[in-house]
Amino acid sequence: MNMKKTVNIIIWVAVLAFLLIGAYVVYNRGDSAENIGDKISDDINKDGNAKDEDGGTEQENKIMAPDFTLKDLDGNTVKLSDYKGKIVFLNFWASWCGPCTSEMPEFEEVHKEFSKGEDAVILAVNLTDGFRETEEKARKFIADNRYTMKVLLDTTGSVAQDYRIYSIPTTYVIDRDGSIVTYMEGARRGKVLLDILEKLK
């Protein structure tokens, strides 16, 4: 009887801890543009403003996307800042993630559409943690589906950390000047990306 009570207590403590952690994550994540600034600007832009060459405020509410350097599937070094002048759809994903793989076919079609012009690009950042997601798994998924979009490997998790990625898929929209326009959690239709591009042109 004592053993049964002990087991029940342990179960309830575990459930309570899980609920508290979940509530904390949800509370600290948020979905508003203001919260995006809170999440990334403290470490990147201390005052949350973009500065012009004279040191003045160019636009007070702009939050600049953290730059990064990652390798693509061909071993090339890729920096976010390489795409300055284009609208960047920065998608965080993994091959084990059902919602991630469900949006990939339409994202591939959008990528092909983007490739016809010079306005926008999709960068698919794979969360290559080396355990649940490995480089081999990512490569196989891309090859098996014959996807041609640019895939980057975040092997250290540093980029996901900089962008405060708590769930995937998550897609950031970055304007031509490198500022964050918005971000979206969960799978999205390709038309959403095309509509956003039209609004930003």
Side-chain angles (χ1 to χ4, degrees), residues 23-36:
Y24 175 82
V25 170
V26 171
Y27 177 78
N28 283 279
R29 182 172 64 191
D31 289 330
S32 66
E34 180 181 357
N35 195 265
I36 297 173

PDB file of all heavy atoms in Angstrom, residues 23-36:
ATOM      1  N   ALA A  23       3.427  25.846 -18.946  1.00  0.00           N
ATOM      2  CA  ALA A  23       2.869  27.188 -18.751  1.00  0.00           C
ATOM      3  C   ALA A  23       3.952  28.248 -18.852  1.00  0.00           C
ATOM      4  O   ALA A  23       3.755  29.314 -19.431  1.00  0.00           O
ATOM      5  CB  ALA A  23       2.170  27.267 -17.390  1.00  0.00           C
ATOM      6  N   TYR A  24       5.130  27.936 -18.301  1.00  0.00           N
ATOM      7  CA  TYR A  24       6.242  28.882 -18.353  1.00  0.00           C
ATOM      8  C   TYR A  24       6.687  29.144 -19.786  1.00  0.00           C
ATOM      9  O   TYR A  24       6.907  30.273 -20.200  1.00  0.00           O
ATOM     10  CB  TYR A  24       7.416  28.341 -17.538  1.00  0.00           C
ATOM     11  CG  TYR A  24       8.663  29.190 -17.625  1.00  0.00           C
ATOM     12  CD1 TYR A  24       8.816  30.330 -16.841  1.00  0.00           C
ATOM     13  CD2 TYR A  24       9.688  28.861 -18.513  1.00  0.00           C
ATOM     14  CE1 TYR A  24       9.943  31.106 -16.925  1.00  0.00           C
ATOM     15  CE2 TYR A  24      10.823  29.635 -18.604  1.00  0.00           C
ATOM     16  CZ  TYR A  24      10.946  30.760 -17.805  1.00  0.00           C
ATOM     17  OH  TYR A  24      12.064  31.528 -17.897  1.00  0.00           O
ATOM     18  N   VAL A  25       6.810  28.050 -20.575  1.00  0.00           N
ATOM     19  CA  VAL A  25       7.242  28.182 -21.970  1.00  0.00           C
ATOM     20  C   VAL A  25       6.248  29.003 -22.774  1.00  0.00           C
ATOM     21  O   VAL A  25       6.602  29.898 -23.523  1.00  0.00           O
ATOM     22  CB  VAL A  25       7.432  26.795 -22.612  1.00  0.00           C
ATOM     23  CG1 VAL A  25       7.626  26.916 -24.113  1.00  0.00           C
ATOM     24  CG2 VAL A  25       8.625  26.086 -21.982  1.00  0.00           C
ATOM     25  N   VAL A  26       4.953  28.692 -22.630  1.00  0.00           N
ATOM     26  CA  VAL A  26       3.914  29.427 -23.355  1.00  0.00           C
ATOM     27  C   VAL A  26       3.916  30.888 -22.968  1.00  0.00           C
ATOM     28  O   VAL A  26       3.836  31.786 -23.808  1.00  0.00           O
ATOM     29  CB  VAL A  26       2.525  28.805 -23.101  1.00  0.00           C
ATOM     30  CG1 VAL A  26       1.431  29.703 -23.673  1.00  0.00           C
ATOM     31  CG2 VAL A  26       2.452  27.415 -23.706  1.00  0.00           C
ATOM     32  N   TYR A  27       4.034  31.154 -21.672  1.00  0.00           N
ATOM     33  CA  TYR A  27       4.019  32.534 -21.190  1.00  0.00           C
ATOM     34  C   TYR A  27       5.193  33.335 -21.743  1.00  0.00           C
ATOM     35  O   TYR A  27       5.061  34.495 -22.100  1.00  0.00           O
ATOM     36  CB  TYR A  27       4.059  32.551 -19.664  1.00  0.00           C
ATOM     37  CG  TYR A  27       4.120  33.944 -19.070  1.00  0.00           C
ATOM     38  CD1 TYR A  27       2.978  34.733 -18.985  1.00  0.00           C
ATOM     39  CD2 TYR A  27       5.333  34.460 -18.618  1.00  0.00           C
ATOM     40  CE1 TYR A  27       3.040  36.013 -18.456  1.00  0.00           C
ATOM     41  CE2 TYR A  27       5.397  35.740 -18.093  1.00  0.00           C
ATOM     42  CZ  TYR A  27       4.253  36.502 -18.007  1.00  0.00           C
ATOM     43  OH  TYR A  27       4.314  37.762 -17.488  1.00  0.00           O
ATOM     44  N   ASN A  28       6.358  32.680 -21.795  1.00  0.00           N
ATOM     45  CA  ASN A  28       7.555  33.390 -22.215  1.00  0.00           C
ATOM     46  C   ASN A  28       7.740  33.419 -23.717  1.00  0.00           C
ATOM     47  O   ASN A  28       8.635  34.083 -24.213  1.00  0.00           O
ATOM     48  CB  ASN A  28       8.794  32.757 -21.565  1.00  0.00           C
ATOM     49  CG  ASN A  28       8.927  33.160 -20.115  1.00  0.00           C
ATOM     50  OD1 ASN A  28       9.416  34.230 -19.798  1.00  0.00           O
ATOM     51  ND2 ASN A  28       8.466  32.303 -19.218  1.00  0.00           N
ATOM     52  N   ARG A  29       6.914  32.669 -24.469  1.00  0.00           N
ATOM     53  CA  ARG A  29       7.081  32.620 -25.912  1.00  0.00           C
ATOM     54  C   ARG A  29       6.365  33.776 -26.574  1.00  0.00           C
ATOM     55  O   ARG A  29       6.957  34.577 -27.240  1.00  0.00           O
ATOM     56  CB  ARG A  29       6.576  31.279 -26.469  1.00  0.00           C
ATOM     57  CG  ARG A  29       6.767  31.145 -27.952  1.00  0.00           C
ATOM     58  CD  ARG A  29       6.435  29.746 -28.411  1.00  0.00           C
ATOM     59  NE  ARG A  29       5.039  29.437 -28.197  1.00  0.00           N
ATOM     60  CZ  ARG A  29       4.545  28.220 -28.321  1.00  0.00           C
ATOM     61  NH1 ARG A  29       5.321  27.221 -28.612  1.00  0.00           N
ATOM     62  NH2 ARG A  29       3.260  28.012 -28.138  1.00  0.00           N
ATOM     63  N   GLY A  30       5.073  33.871 -26.426  1.00  0.00           N
ATOM     64  CA  GLY A  30       4.311  34.955 -27.022  1.00  0.00           C
ATOM     65  C   GLY A  30       4.326  34.901 -28.530  1.00  0.00           C
ATOM     66  O   GLY A  30       5.153  34.244 -29.127  1.00  0.00           O
ATOM     67  N   ASP A  31       3.397  35.630 -29.179  1.00  0.00           N
ATOM     68  CA  ASP A  31       3.325  35.606 -30.637  1.00  0.00           C
ATOM     69  C   ASP A  31       3.285  36.994 -31.248  1.00  0.00           C
ATOM     70  O   ASP A  31       3.126  37.135 -32.438  1.00  0.00           O
ATOM     71  CB  ASP A  31       2.075  34.822 -31.087  1.00  0.00           C
ATOM     72  CG  ASP A  31       2.223  33.333 -30.831  1.00  0.00           C
ATOM     73  OD1 ASP A  31       3.348  32.829 -30.867  1.00  0.00           O
ATOM     74  OD2 ASP A  31       1.206  32.697 -30.579  1.00  0.00           O
ATOM     75  N   SER A  32       3.402  38.031 -30.441  1.00  0.00           N
ATOM     76  CA  SER A  32       3.246  39.369 -30.983  1.00  0.00           C
ATOM     77  C   SER A  32       4.565  39.901 -31.508  1.00  0.00           C
ATOM     78  O   SER A  32       5.645  39.442 -31.139  1.00  0.00           O
ATOM     79  CB  SER A  32       2.719  40.317 -29.893  1.00  0.00           C
ATOM     80  OG  SER A  32       3.692  40.475 -28.884  1.00  0.00           O
ATOM     81  N   ALA A  33       4.468  40.904 -32.369  1.00  0.00           N
ATOM     82  CA  ALA A  33       5.674  41.537 -32.897  1.00  0.00           C
ATOM     83  C   ALA A  33       6.472  42.160 -31.761  1.00  0.00           C
ATOM     84  O   ALA A  33       7.711  42.159 -31.770  1.00  0.00           O
ATOM     85  CB  ALA A  33       5.290  42.599 -33.925  1.00  0.00           C
ATOM     86  N   GLU A  34       5.773  42.707 -30.761  1.00  0.00           N
ATOM     87  CA  GLU A  34       6.452  43.307 -29.617  1.00  0.00           C
ATOM     88  C   GLU A  34       7.281  42.264 -28.891  1.00  0.00           C
ATOM     89  O   GLU A  34       8.405  42.513 -28.468  1.00  0.00           O
ATOM     90  CB  GLU A  34       5.414  43.905 -28.669  1.00  0.00           C
ATOM     91  CG  GLU A  34       6.028  44.553 -27.428  1.00  0.00           C
ATOM     92  CD  GLU A  34       4.982  45.122 -26.506  1.00  0.00           C
ATOM     93  OE1 GLU A  34       3.786  45.066 -26.859  1.00  0.00           O
ATOM     94  OE2 GLU A  34       5.359  45.613 -25.437  1.00  0.00           O
ATOM     95  N   ASN A  35       6.722  41.048 -28.772  1.00  0.00           N
ATOM     96  CA  ASN A  35       7.430  39.989 -28.071  1.00  0.00           C
ATOM     97  C   ASN A  35       8.638  39.517 -28.856  1.00  0.00           C
ATOM     98  O   ASN A  35       9.650  39.126 -28.271  1.00  0.00           O
ATOM     99  CB  ASN A  35       6.488  38.813 -27.803  1.00  0.00           C
ATOM    100  CG  ASN A  35       7.054  37.847 -26.787  1.00  0.00           C
ATOM    101  OD1 ASN A  35       7.664  36.863 -27.155  1.00  0.00           O
ATOM    102  ND2 ASN A  35       6.856  38.152 -25.515  1.00  0.00           N
ATOM    103  N   ILE A  36       8.560  39.541 -30.187  1.00  0.00           N
ATOM    104  CA  ILE A  36       9.716  39.188 -31.005  1.00  0.00           C
ATOM    105  C   ILE A  36      10.872  40.118 -30.659  1.00  0.00           C
ATOM    106  O   ILE A  36      12.004  39.684 -30.474  1.00  0.00           O
ATOM    107  CB  ILE A  36       9.407  39.302 -32.506  1.00  0.00           C
ATOM    108  CG1 ILE A  36       8.317  38.308 -32.892  1.00  0.00           C
ATOM    109  CG2 ILE A  36      10.662  39.073 -33.339  1.00  0.00           C
ATOM    110  CD1 ILE A  36       7.853  38.469 -34.305  1.00  0.00           C
TER     111      ILE A  36
END
